[in-house]
PDB file of all heavy atoms in Angstrom:
ATOM      1  N   SER A  11      -3.440  27.315  -2.277  1.00 45.00           N
ATOM      2  CA  SER A  11      -3.042  28.656  -2.766  1.00 45.00           C
ATOM      3  C   SER A  11      -4.303  29.427  -3.233  1.00 45.00           C
ATOM      4  O   SER A  11      -4.241  30.367  -3.966  1.00 45.00           O
ATOM      5  CB  SER A  11      -2.109  28.447  -3.920  1.00 45.00           C
ATOM      6  OG  SER A  11      -2.669  27.705  -4.928  1.00 45.00           O
ATOM      7  N   HIS A  18      -3.628  33.385 -14.381  1.00 92.00           N
ATOM      8  CA  HIS A  18      -3.667  32.651 -15.638  1.00 92.00           C
ATOM      9  C   HIS A  18      -3.298  31.098 -15.215  1.00 92.00           C
ATOM     10  O   HIS A  18      -2.532  30.932 -14.323  1.00 92.00           O
ATOM     11  CB  HIS A  18      -2.428  33.214 -16.593  1.00 92.00           C
ATOM     12  CG  HIS A  18      -2.403  32.604 -17.948  1.00 92.00           C
ATOM     13  ND1 HIS A  18      -3.505  32.736 -18.692  1.00 92.00           N
ATOM     14  CD2 HIS A  18      -1.490  31.868 -18.609  1.00 92.00           C
ATOM     15  CE1 HIS A  18      -3.217  32.117 -19.859  1.00 92.00           C
ATOM     16  NE2 HIS A  18      -2.091  31.533 -19.824  1.00 92.00           N
ATOM     17  N   VAL A  38      -0.574  27.125 -12.529  1.00 92.00           N
ATOM     18  CA  VAL A  38      -1.449  28.274 -12.097  1.00 92.00           C
ATOM     19  C   VAL A  38      -0.522  29.440 -11.735  1.00 92.00           C
ATOM     20  O   VAL A  38       0.281  29.188 -10.789  1.00 92.00           O
ATOM     21  CB  VAL A  38      -2.456  27.762 -11.006  1.00 92.00           C
ATOM     22  CG1 VAL A  38      -3.330  29.069 -10.757  1.00 92.00           C
ATOM     23  CG2 VAL A  38      -3.278  26.595 -11.357  1.00 92.00           C
ATOM     24  N   LEU A  61       8.591  33.861  -8.079  1.00 91.00           N
ATOM     25  CA  LEU A  61       9.243  34.649  -9.149  1.00 91.00           C
ATOM     26  C   LEU A  61       9.794  35.924  -8.555  1.00 91.00           C
ATOM     27  O   LEU A  61       9.910  36.890  -9.462  1.00 91.00           O
ATOM     28  CB  LEU A  61       8.041  35.060 -10.236  1.00 91.00           C
ATOM     29  CG  LEU A  61       7.425  33.725 -10.865  1.00 91.00           C
ATOM     30  CD1 LEU A  61       6.233  34.201 -11.734  1.00 91.00           C
ATOM     31  CD2 LEU A  61       8.480  32.940 -11.666  1.00 91.00           C
ATOM     32  N   ASP A  63      12.829  36.553  -7.618  1.00 87.00           N
ATOM     33  CA  ASP A  63      14.141  36.829  -8.340  1.00 87.00           C
ATOM     34  C   ASP A  63      14.129  36.604  -9.775  1.00 87.00           C
ATOM     35  O   ASP A  63      15.217  36.262 -10.380  1.00 87.00           O
ATOM     36  CB  ASP A  63      15.202  35.790  -7.611  1.00 87.00           C
ATOM     37  CG  ASP A  63      14.774  34.291  -7.818  1.00 87.00           C
ATOM     38  OD1 ASP A  63      13.594  34.021  -8.224  1.00 87.00           O
ATOM     39  OD2 ASP A  63      15.626  33.504  -7.586  1.00 87.00           O
ATOM     40  N   SER A  66      14.077  37.585 -16.475  1.00 89.00           N
ATOM     41  CA  SER A  66      13.515  37.696 -17.845  1.00 89.00           C
ATOM     42  C   SER A  66      13.037  36.314 -18.279  1.00 89.00           C
ATOM     43  O   SER A  66      13.363  35.286 -17.659  1.00 89.00           O
ATOM     44  CB  SER A  66      14.500  38.245 -18.757  1.00 89.00           C
ATOM     45  OG  SER A  66      15.589  37.349 -19.006  1.00 89.00           O
ATOM     46  N   TYR A  73      14.961  24.868 -29.936  1.00 55.00           N
ATOM     47  CA  TYR A  73      13.846  24.032 -29.802  1.00 55.00           C
ATOM     48  C   TYR A  73      12.631  24.538 -30.613  1.00 55.00           C
ATOM     49  O   TYR A  73      11.898  23.826 -31.130  1.00 55.00           O
ATOM     50  CB  TYR A  73      13.551  23.660 -28.314  1.00 55.00           C
ATOM     51  CG  TYR A  73      14.567  22.854 -27.686  1.00 55.00           C
ATOM     52  CD1 TYR A  73      15.480  23.476 -26.825  1.00 55.00           C
ATOM     53  CD2 TYR A  73      14.542  21.497 -27.828  1.00 55.00           C
ATOM     54  CE1 TYR A  73      16.498  22.639 -26.189  1.00 55.00           C
ATOM     55  CE2 TYR A  73      15.458  20.708 -27.159  1.00 55.00           C
ATOM     56  CZ  TYR A  73      16.487  21.321 -26.376  1.00 55.00           C
ATOM     57  OH  TYR A  73      17.351  20.485 -25.691  1.00 55.00           O
ATOM     58  N   LEU A 113       5.652  44.360 -13.154  1.00 90.00           N
ATOM     59  CA  LEU A 113       4.483  45.297 -12.932  1.00 90.00           C
ATOM     60  C   LEU A 113       4.449  46.309 -14.082  1.00 90.00           C
ATOM     61  O   LEU A 113       4.443  47.490 -14.058  1.00 90.00           O
ATOM     62  CB  LEU A 113       4.644  46.061 -11.704  1.00 90.00           C
ATOM     63  CG  LEU A 113       4.388  45.221 -10.391  1.00 90.00           C
ATOM     64  CD1 LEU A 113       4.624  46.097  -9.219  1.00 90.00           C
ATOM     65  CD2 LEU A 113       3.057  44.633 -10.491  1.00 90.00           C
ATOM     66  N   LEU A 121      -3.566  41.696 -28.591  1.00 85.00           N
ATOM     67  CA  LEU A 121      -4.919  42.000 -29.063  1.00 85.00           C
ATOM     68  C   LEU A 121      -5.605  42.887 -27.986  1.00 85.00           C
ATOM     69  O   LEU A 121      -5.126  42.881 -26.758  1.00 85.00           O
ATOM     70  CB  LEU A 121      -5.814  40.747 -29.244  1.00 85.00           C
ATOM     71  CG  LEU A 121      -5.327  39.843 -30.438  1.00 85.00           C
ATOM     72  CD1 LEU A 121      -6.153  38.618 -30.432  1.00 85.00           C
ATOM     73  CD2 LEU A 121      -5.428  40.703 -31.783  1.00 85.00           C
ATOM     74  N   ARG A 126      -6.544  44.336 -22.141  1.00 90.00           N
ATOM     75  CA  ARG A 126      -7.457  44.536 -21.039  1.00 90.00           C
ATOM     76  C   ARG A 126      -7.252  43.606 -19.860  1.00 90.00           C
ATOM     77  O   ARG A 126      -7.230  44.030 -18.730  1.00 90.00           O
ATOM     78  CB  ARG A 126      -8.916  44.403 -21.644  1.00 90.00           C
ATOM     79  CG  ARG A 126      -9.376  45.600 -22.334  1.00 90.00           C
ATOM     80  CD  ARG A 126     -10.937  45.649 -22.318  1.00 90.00           C
ATOM     81  NE  ARG A 126     -11.560  44.424 -22.782  1.00 90.00           N
ATOM     82  CZ  ARG A 126     -11.701  43.981 -24.039  1.00 90.00           C
ATOM     83  NH1 ARG A 126     -11.447  44.916 -25.005  1.00 90.00           N
ATOM     84  NH2 ARG A 126     -12.254  42.904 -24.352  1.00 90.00           N
ATOM     85  N   VAL A 131      -4.769  42.411 -14.422  1.00 91.00           N
ATOM     86  CA  VAL A 131      -3.876  41.668 -13.576  1.00 91.00           C
ATOM     87  C   VAL A 131      -2.792  42.671 -13.006  1.00 91.00           C
ATOM     88  O   VAL A 131      -2.491  42.500 -11.786  1.00 91.00           O
ATOM     89  CB  VAL A 131      -3.134  40.613 -14.531  1.00 91.00           C
ATOM     90  CG1 VAL A 131      -1.943  40.051 -13.756  1.00 91.00           C
ATOM     91  CG2 VAL A 131      -4.133  39.447 -14.954  1.00 91.00           C
ATOM     92  N   PRO A 150       4.295  52.196 -14.760  1.00 43.00           N
ATOM     93  CA  PRO A 150       4.790  52.945 -16.025  1.00 43.00           C
ATOM     94  C   PRO A 150       3.793  53.306 -16.806  1.00 43.00           C
ATOM     95  O   PRO A 150       2.565  52.734 -16.793  1.00 43.00           O
ATOM     96  CB  PRO A 150       5.774  51.906 -16.553  1.00 43.00           C
ATOM     97  CG  PRO A 150       5.164  50.575 -16.335  1.00 43.00           C
ATOM     98  CD  PRO A 150       4.514  50.722 -14.868  1.00 43.00           C
ATOM     99  N   PRO A 157       2.536  57.678 -32.584  1.00 42.00           N
ATOM    100  CA  PRO A 157       3.697  58.381 -32.247  1.00 42.00           C
ATOM    101  C   PRO A 157       3.503  59.330 -31.178  1.00 42.00           C
ATOM    102  O   PRO A 157       2.354  59.807 -30.828  1.00 42.00           O
ATOM    103  CB  PRO A 157       3.887  59.240 -33.593  1.00 42.00           C
ATOM    104  CG  PRO A 157       3.078  58.553 -34.552  1.00 42.00           C
ATOM    105  CD  PRO A 157       1.955  57.849 -33.946  1.00 42.00           C
ATOM    106  N   LEU A 159       3.365  62.619 -28.998  1.00 40.00           N
ATOM    107  CA  LEU A 159       3.224  63.957 -29.398  1.00 40.00           C
ATOM    108  C   LEU A 159       3.427  64.811 -28.312  1.00 40.00           C
ATOM    109  O   LEU A 159       3.307  64.437 -27.037  1.00 40.00           O
ATOM    110  CB  LEU A 159       1.669  64.087 -29.913  1.00 40.00           C
ATOM    111  CG  LEU A 159       1.222  63.275 -31.074  1.00 40.00           C
ATOM    112  CD1 LEU A 159      -0.172  63.491 -31.265  1.00 40.00           C
ATOM    113  CD2 LEU A 159       2.060  63.713 -32.283  1.00 40.00           C
ATOM    114  N   TYR A 164      -1.748  69.976 -26.956  1.00 39.00           N
ATOM    115  CA  TYR A 164      -3.204  69.937 -26.544  1.00 39.00           C
ATOM    116  C   TYR A 164      -3.353  70.880 -25.364  1.00 39.00           C
ATOM    117  O   TYR A 164      -2.699  70.988 -24.358  1.00 39.00           O
ATOM    118  CB  TYR A 164      -3.396  68.435 -25.915  1.00 39.00           C
ATOM    119  CG  TYR A 164      -2.918  67.330 -26.810  1.00 39.00           C
ATOM    120  CD1 TYR A 164      -1.820  66.472 -26.502  1.00 39.00           C
ATOM    121  CD2 TYR A 164      -3.566  67.201 -28.116  1.00 39.00           C
ATOM    122  CE1 TYR A 164      -1.474  65.487 -27.360  1.00 39.00           C
ATOM    123  CE2 TYR A 164      -3.165  66.150 -28.996  1.00 39.00           C
ATOM    124  CZ  TYR A 164      -2.082  65.418 -28.529  1.00 39.00           C
ATOM    125  OH  TYR A 164      -1.672  64.436 -29.422  1.00 39.00           O
ATOM    126  N   GLY A 204     -21.979  52.808 -20.491  1.00 81.00           N
ATOM    127  CA  GLY A 204     -21.597  53.882 -19.529  1.00 81.00           C
ATOM    128  C   GLY A 204     -20.319  53.751 -18.946  1.00 81.00           C
ATOM    129  O   GLY A 204     -19.815  54.637 -18.175  1.00 81.00           O
ATOM    130  N   TYR A 224     -17.429  53.533 -33.551  1.00 95.00           N
ATOM    131  CA  TYR A 224     -16.257  52.768 -33.155  1.00 95.00           C
ATOM    132  C   TYR A 224     -16.256  52.731 -31.578  1.00 95.00           C
ATOM    133  O   TYR A 224     -16.560  53.725 -30.980  1.00 95.00           O
ATOM    134  CB  TYR A 224     -14.971  53.555 -33.626  1.00 95.00           C
ATOM    135  CG  TYR A 224     -14.956  53.642 -35.073  1.00 95.00           C
ATOM    136  CD1 TYR A 224     -15.496  54.801 -35.790  1.00 95.00           C
ATOM    137  CD2 TYR A 224     -14.370  52.629 -35.898  1.00 95.00           C
ATOM    138  CE1 TYR A 224     -15.438  54.933 -37.182  1.00 95.00           C
ATOM    139  CE2 TYR A 224     -14.368  52.790 -37.280  1.00 95.00           C
ATOM    140  CZ  TYR A 224     -14.905  53.862 -37.923  1.00 95.00           C
ATOM    141  OH  TYR A 224     -14.773  53.999 -39.267  1.00 95.00           O
ATOM    142  N   GLN A 255      -5.568  61.875 -38.411  1.00 92.00           N
ATOM    143  CA  GLN A 255      -4.327  61.581 -39.147  1.00 92.00           C
ATOM    144  C   GLN A 255      -4.565  60.409 -40.001  1.00 92.00           C
ATOM    145  O   GLN A 255      -4.053  60.425 -41.187  1.00 92.00           O
ATOM    146  CB  GLN A 255      -3.243  61.332 -38.132  1.00 92.00           C
ATOM    147  CG  GLN A 255      -2.795  62.586 -37.343  1.00 92.00           C
ATOM    148  CD  GLN A 255      -1.863  62.215 -36.116  1.00 92.00           C
ATOM    149  OE1 GLN A 255      -1.573  61.006 -35.956  1.00 92.00           O
ATOM    150  NE2 GLN A 255      -1.569  63.176 -35.314  1.00 92.00           N
ATOM    151  N   LYS A 262     -13.433  65.345 -39.588  1.00 94.00           N
ATOM    152  CA  LYS A 262     -13.216  66.550 -38.803  1.00 94.00           C
ATOM    153  C   LYS A 262     -14.109  66.567 -37.525  1.00 94.00           C
ATOM    154  O   LYS A 262     -15.296  66.204 -37.664  1.00 94.00           O
ATOM    155  CB  LYS A 262     -13.537  67.762 -39.673  1.00 94.00           C
ATOM    156  CG  LYS A 262     -12.648  67.888 -40.913  1.00 94.00           C
ATOM    157  CD  LYS A 262     -12.954  69.065 -41.734  1.00 94.00           C
ATOM    158  CE  LYS A 262     -12.145  69.166 -42.985  1.00 94.00           C
ATOM    159  NZ  LYS A 262     -12.546  70.335 -43.867  1.00 94.00           N
ATOM    160  N   GLU A 265     -17.463  70.667 -34.144  1.00 89.00           N
ATOM    161  CA  GLU A 265     -17.352  71.702 -33.102  1.00 89.00           C
ATOM    162  C   GLU A 265     -18.482  72.734 -33.463  1.00 89.00           C
ATOM    163  O   GLU A 265     -18.306  73.621 -34.369  1.00 89.00           O
ATOM    164  CB  GLU A 265     -15.980  72.349 -33.234  1.00 89.00           C
ATOM    165  CG  GLU A 265     -14.953  71.448 -32.800  1.00 89.00           C
ATOM    166  CD  GLU A 265     -13.544  72.029 -32.894  1.00 89.00           C
ATOM    167  OE1 GLU A 265     -13.405  73.194 -33.403  1.00 89.00           O
ATOM    168  OE2 GLU A 265     -12.507  71.461 -32.436  1.00 89.00           O
ATOM    169  N   MET A 277     -32.969  91.538 -17.123  1.00 82.00           N
ATOM    170  CA  MET A 277     -34.431  91.258 -17.068  1.00 82.00           C
ATOM    171  C   MET A 277     -34.977  92.217 -16.104  1.00 82.00           C
ATOM    172  O   MET A 277     -34.589  92.260 -14.917  1.00 82.00           O
ATOM    173  CB  MET A 277     -34.676  89.775 -16.637  1.00 82.00           C
ATOM    174  CG  MET A 277     -34.273  88.743 -17.737  1.00 82.00           C
ATOM    175  SD  MET A 277     -35.141  88.891 -19.293  1.00 82.00           S
ATOM    176  CE  MET A 277     -36.809  88.476 -18.691  1.00 82.00           C
ATOM    177  N   ILE A 317       5.042 117.536 -46.714  1.00 45.00           N
ATOM    178  CA  ILE A 317       5.671 117.931 -48.046  1.00 45.00           C
ATOM    179  C   ILE A 317       5.980 119.357 -47.955  1.00 45.00           C
ATOM    180  O   ILE A 317       5.119 120.209 -47.789  1.00 45.00           O
ATOM    181  CB  ILE A 317       4.563 117.572 -49.078  1.00 45.00           C
ATOM    182  CG1 ILE A 317       4.243 116.062 -49.203  1.00 45.00           C
ATOM    183  CG2 ILE A 317       5.120 118.018 -50.532  1.00 45.00           C
ATOM    184  CD1 ILE A 317       3.273 115.749 -50.124  1.00 45.00           C
ATOM    185  N   CYS A 323      11.439 133.459 -54.614  1.00 49.00           N
ATOM    186  CA  CYS A 323      12.309 134.589 -54.410  1.00 49.00           C
ATOM    187  C   CYS A 323      12.279 135.568 -55.436  1.00 49.00           C
ATOM    188  O   CYS A 323      11.814 135.366 -56.619  1.00 49.00           O
ATOM    189  CB  CYS A 323      13.801 134.065 -54.181  1.00 49.00           C
ATOM    190  SG  CYS A 323      14.443 133.295 -55.677  1.00 49.00           S
TER     191      CYS A 323
END
Side-chain angles (χ1 to χ4, degrees):
S11 57
H18 188 61
V38 182
L61 300 174
D63 60 347
S66 65
Y73 291 97
L113 290 180
L121 298 175
R126 284 201 306 272
V131 169
L159 299 175
Y164 309 115
Y224 303 92
Q255 294 169 2
K262 298 179 181 179
E265 297 180 352
M277 294 294 294
I317 299 176
C323 60

